Amino acid sequence: MKKIMMMAAMLCTCLSLWAVEKVERPRLVVGVVVDQMRWDYLYRYYEQFVEGGLKRLIKDGYNFDNMHYNYLPTVTAAGHASVYAGTTPAIHGIAGNNYHLNGKTIYCCDDPEVTGVGTDSKAGKMSPRNLLTTNMCDQLRLATDFRSKVIGVALKDRASILPAGHSANGAFWFDNATGGFITSTYYMQELPSWVKSFNRENKVDGKENIWILPKGLTLTTKMAIAALDGEKLGRQNDQTDFLCISYSSTDVMGHKYGTRGPKTDEMYLALDKELRNLMDALDSRVGRGKYLLFLTADHAAGHNAKFLNDHKLPGGQVPFWGKLKKQLNTALASRFGGVDVVDDVIGEQVYLNTSVIEERGLNEADIKRAVCREILKNTDVQYAVPVSDVMTAPIPAPIRDRIVLGNCPRRSGDIQIVPRPAYYDYSYDEGSSHSHWAPYDTHVPFIIMGWHIDSGHTNQPVCIPDIAATVCALLKIQMPSGCIGTPRL
């Protein structure tokens, strides 16, 4: 009897130790990325925010007020990939929304090996295969032997796919052709019943452009809550799940209407209310304090040049990007044997026609120098530098370092163009743009709130890869495979 009692006591002690030593994690992690959200919007609209939305995040969360992107180009695909992978385009490979792969221009999520699910349009031929590293969602799945669920939701395909990662249970994005959310055969062969039901109840009329309206924000929130319910996220098998949400309408609106004005005001005040609705749903389904939520942006935005000039501030348009390839080839043809030495211009990067250069035995270094000299004839360009020479080029270190961290070999361009601050190739008379190294494009919000997070703020400098490093440290899981960030909590 005495031995039995001793064994029972030992068993109780072991069970007690096991309970104490069990790794503690939140029920759910929610990542929110707001496309094109400038950091200063947190304070520009603060007094107009409702209780329970962004005010709640600012008051209850830990606010990193000096969060910056540390590379260029600052664009949507690269931003979403970097937030979740904890690294930069040089390593994760998403060198832009569009870039070169195997000598051809591709879209970041193009995948000819898959087909759409829920659509017959080419909008479904997407996957994360071009992402070269894991991200924090993949690492969570690995840490739990793939018992954790990961779901991505956004209007933009790249804003859903790249955050959710390689091993996600599903990524869903909006398709204009069907007026609903779709996915691809990379994830599944048929839409889940909850997605089919959501699409029936929330079908968008093809004549309505929700991309530029607050309604796009509402649809995204509703879809995220539908995923929360349909997949029972945060409520299954004592595992931590991950819900990736990106609000895309803010970017489309910004490109058309800019960073100031009634349309911008309307959009961000609507975003505030949608975040309140989202957090109310999380509180009721998962439990206040039982989930971890962070908010950031994939890039910020520069003010419109006319707006700046109207207030006697520097800024302007560099209108020649679309014609630059032809102009460079025409200007340099006689010098280099009549061949087109420039293959492509994407954003502010020039791709050389390397196959022709090699075939003709031309001197690539001479061509690079000649291309840069030709570009610099435009006085609105501050620097034009071959990426291969950037470490020794006479350019400021902050710009040099961002070029290096943004350049992915065999995907990025051969020459980087750096316009003067606040000079863009605008597509809209009133609109904003982005892609630069400067604070107006790199300075974004980062607030983390909820499970085990004390309220507070810091002005110490942090960079985008630190987000994934911080979240992984809080979850007690390994950082993504290419992570260069540092945990900040």
Side-chain angles (χ1 to χ4, degrees):
M1 185 68 178
K2 188 176 180 180
K3 286 184 178 179
I4 294 173
M5 291 177 68
M6 287 178 65
M7 288 176 67
M10 289 174 65
L11 180 60
C12 288
T13 302
C14 289
L15 288 171
S16 151
L17 287 170
W18 178 84
V20 170
E21 292 176 359
K22 185 180 179 184
V23 176
E24 189 180 2
R25 295 186 178 118
R27 291 182 180 179
L28 177 68
V29 181
V30 181
V32 178
V33 179
V34 183
D35 205 321
Q36 203 186 120
M37 184 176 183
R38 291 168 56 104
W39 164 82
D40 56 348
Y41 287 164
L42 292 176
Y43 303 103
R44 175 174 175 80
Y45 296 113
Y46 184 82
E47 294 179 1
Q48 298 171 265
F49 289 152
V50 298
E51 295 298 328
L54 281 161
K55 270 188 181 177
R56 175 181 170 187
L57 277 171
I58 294 168
K59 290 177 179 178
D60 295 351
Y62 196 88
N63 193 346
F64 294 85
D65 274 321
N66 200 10
M67 169 60 75
H68 285 264
Y69 277 87
N70 58 342
Y71 64 83
L72 57 82
T74 41
V75 294
T76 296
H80 282 83
S82 298
V83 166
Y84 281 83
T87 190
T88 69
I91 297 170
H92 62 58
I94 304 300
N97 296 333
N98 299 281
Y99 52 86
H100 275 206
L101 185 62
N102 300 322
K104 296 180 180 178
T105 303
I106 68 155
Y107 174 67
C108 57
C109 292
D110 275 346
D111 188 346
E113 297 181 15
V114 302
T115 56
V117 174
T119 184
D120 294 325
S121 76
K122 64 180 181 180
K125 297 180 72 62
M126 303 289 166
S127 88
R129 284 198 176 104
N130 293 325
L131 182 65
L132 299 178
T133 66
T134 63
N135 70 12
M136 55 178 151
C137 295
D138 294 319
Q139 295 302 143
L140 178 61
R141 294 267 287 157
L142 279 164
T144 62
D145 291 326
F146 301 94
R147 291 189 296 273
S148 292
K149 283 187 178 181
V150 172
I151 299 293
V153 171
L155 295 186
K156 290 183 180 180
D157 50 63
R158 57 189 181 271
S160 170
I161 291 168
L162 296 172
H166 297 277
S167 61
N169 300 87
F172 304 97
W173 55 95
F174 185 76
D175 177 32
N176 286 324
T178 64
F181 282 85
I182 63 170
T183 189
S184 80
T185 51
Y186 178 88
Y187 303 99
M188 59 195 71
Q189 298 302 311
E190 185 178 359
L191 286 177
S193 58
W194 64 265
V195 178
K196 292 179 181 177
S197 176
F198 180 88
N199 284 340
R200 284 194 299 271
E201 295 170 9
N202 297 276
K203 186 176 176 62
V204 176
D205 187 329
K207 297 177 182 178
E208 188 174 23
N209 184 8
I210 63 161
W211 292 86
I212 205 164
L213 299 171
K215 185 174 180 179
L217 305 177
T218 302
L219 189 69
T220 303
T221 304
K222 285 183 176 180
M223 180 62 177
I225 295 172
L228 188 67
D229 292 338
E231 299 291 339
K232 294 183 170 54
L233 299 177
R235 290 164 285 171
Q236 53 103 21
N237 299 327
D238 198 28
Q239 296 296 328
T240 299
D241 298 323
F242 210 126
L243 176 59
C244 311
I245 307 165
S246 185
Y247 288 99
S248 306
S249 298
T250 44
D251 179 74
V252 182
M253 179 281 302
H255 279 296
K256 184 167 179 61
Y257 295 109
T259 58
R260 291 289 188 271
K263 295 289 187 182
T264 308
D265 299 344
E266 179 188 28
M267 185 66 76
Y268 279 92
L269 294 177
L271 171 70
D272 177 47
K273 292 174 183 175
E274 291 305 324
L275 290 172
R276 178 189 60 185
N277 295 339
L278 174 65
M279 288 187 282
D280 285 349
L282 291 167
D283 288 346
S284 64
R285 270 86 160 174
V286 182
R288 196 178 183 114
K290 295 181 179 179
Y291 60 89
L292 183 70
L293 183 147
F294 69 84
L295 178 140
T296 190
D298 55 344
H299 53 76
H303 297 304
N304 178 269
K306 185 179 184 303
F307 167 81
L308 291 172
N309 298 162
D310 286 347
H311 295 277
K312 301 180 180 179
L313 296 169
Q317 291 184 308
V318 187
F320 66 14
W321 285 171
K323 301 176 181 178
L324 184 57
K325 174 184 172 180
K326 183 177 180 181
Q327 289 177 351
L328 290 171
N329 282 326
T330 300
L332 299 174
S334 60
R335 180 172 174 182
F336 295 106
V339 301
D340 288 346
V341 293
V342 172
D343 180 52
D344 205 355
V345 177
I346 300 178
E348 289 155 3
Q349 294 185 345
V350 177
Y351 291 79
L352 297 184
N353 199 337
T354 52
S355 59
V356 170
I357 291 169
E358 289 173 2
E359 285 173 12
R360 298 293 184 95
L362 300 174
N363 187 308
E364 187 172 311
D366 286 348
I367 292 171
K368 288 178 179 178
R369 285 191 290 269
V371 169
C372 288
R373 281 195 296 270
E374 194 65 33
I375 293 170
L376 287 168
K377 289 179 180 179
N378 186 318
T379 57
D380 293 331
V381 174
Q382 197 156 20
Y383 302 101
V385 57
V387 175
S388 57
D389 301 339
V390 70
M391 294 305 293
T392 56
I395 60 175
I399 301 176
R400 177 199 66 205
D401 294 345
R402 282 168 169 78
I403 293 172
V404 171
L405 288 170
N407 183 270
C408 183
R410 295 175 292 280
R411 294 190 177 194
S412 297
D414 299 290
I415 292 168
Q416 181 69 49
I417 303 169
V418 181
R420 292 165 56 189
Y423 276 71
Y424 286 105
D425 180 18
Y426 289 100
S427 301
Y428 303 100
D429 291 338
E430 299 176 86
S432 60
S433 193
H434 53 86
S435 71
H436 290 180
W437 65 271
Y440 50 79
D441 278 355
T442 64
H443 195 183
V444 296
F446 174 41
I447 308 175
I448 190 164
M449 185 200 79
W451 181 83
H452 287 195
I453 301 297
D454 295 326
S455 62
H457 76 96
T458 180
N459 282 311
Q460 291 300 308
V462 288
C463 61
I464 281 296
D466 294 340
I467 295 177
T470 299
V471 172
C472 288
L474 290 168
L475 298 181
K476 299 293 189 292
I477 63 176
Q478 182 59 274
M479 295 179 187
S481 59
C483 186
I484 60 172
T486 300
R488 298 297 178 177
L489 287 174

